[in-house]
Amino acid sequence: MFKTAVLIRKNPALTVAEFREHYETKHAPLAASLMPKLRRYTRHFATAYGNATYSGGDDHQDLDVITEMWFDSEADFQEAMAHLSQPEVAAVLGADEERVFDRSSIRIYLLEDSGDAIN
């Protein structure tokens, strides 16, 4: 499996509840329908945490969601990204991204698992 992580901040005009609702009910189904060869698409909504050892951050959160996208291969991922870059597809997806995300915050990472999990 080939996996990516996308780190995203919400559109600041939305509340956390509005962001999560729109992402789950509108954006995720739209994005999944536009991405060929997507095998799995998960969203992990984040809330900053702090304690005596780790700072919880300031007034602004670095990210609101970590999205994982899984493909059978890197070639399948590249095919999906090429499809999303087609002008007519990019226009549809981009319009919805403008509603829900701070698009300047979007960062895509290619993930490589280290192997065995530590229990």
Side-chain angles (χ1 to χ4, degrees):
M1 278 288 171
F2 184 81
K3 183 168 48 169
T4 67
V6 186
L7 281 59
I8 309 168
R9 281 193 311 260
K10 69 177 186 65
N11 180 328
L14 299 177
T15 67
V16 170
E18 290 168 335
F19 166 69
R20 291 179 178 186
E21 171 72 16
H22 187 97
Y23 197 177
E24 285 300 300
T25 64
K26 304 255 186 320
H27 189 78
L30 173 66
S33 75
L34 295 173
M35 232 177 304
K37 301 196 177 176
L38 179 68
R39 300 288 268 160
R40 187 172 179 200
Y41 180 35
T42 60
R43 279 93 40 226
H44 308 277
F45 294 104
T47 302
Y49 167 80
N51 64 18
T53 304
Y54 300 105
S55 167
D58 51 20
D59 292 340
H60 133 128
Q61 193 160 297
D62 292 331
L63 64 97
D64 292 287
V65 66
I66 301 169
T67 297
E68 289 181 310
M69 295 181 296
W70 304 56
F71 300 86
D72 285 336
S73 67
E74 184 173 0
D76 286 352
F77 165 73
Q78 294 298 344
E79 182 179 327
M81 294 302 102
H83 181 73
L84 293 179
S85 297
Q86 293 177 3
E88 62 279 0
V89 177
V92 170
L93 190 61
D96 195 63
E97 285 179 348
E98 287 289 336
R99 286 184 198 99
V100 72
F101 302 141
D102 169 358
R103 289 186 82 199
S104 70
S105 76
I106 298 172
R107 300 291 181 269
I108 300 175
Y109 295 90
L110 309 181
L111 302 180
E112 185 177 331
D113 291 335
S114 65
D116 293 337
I118 298 172
N119 294 328

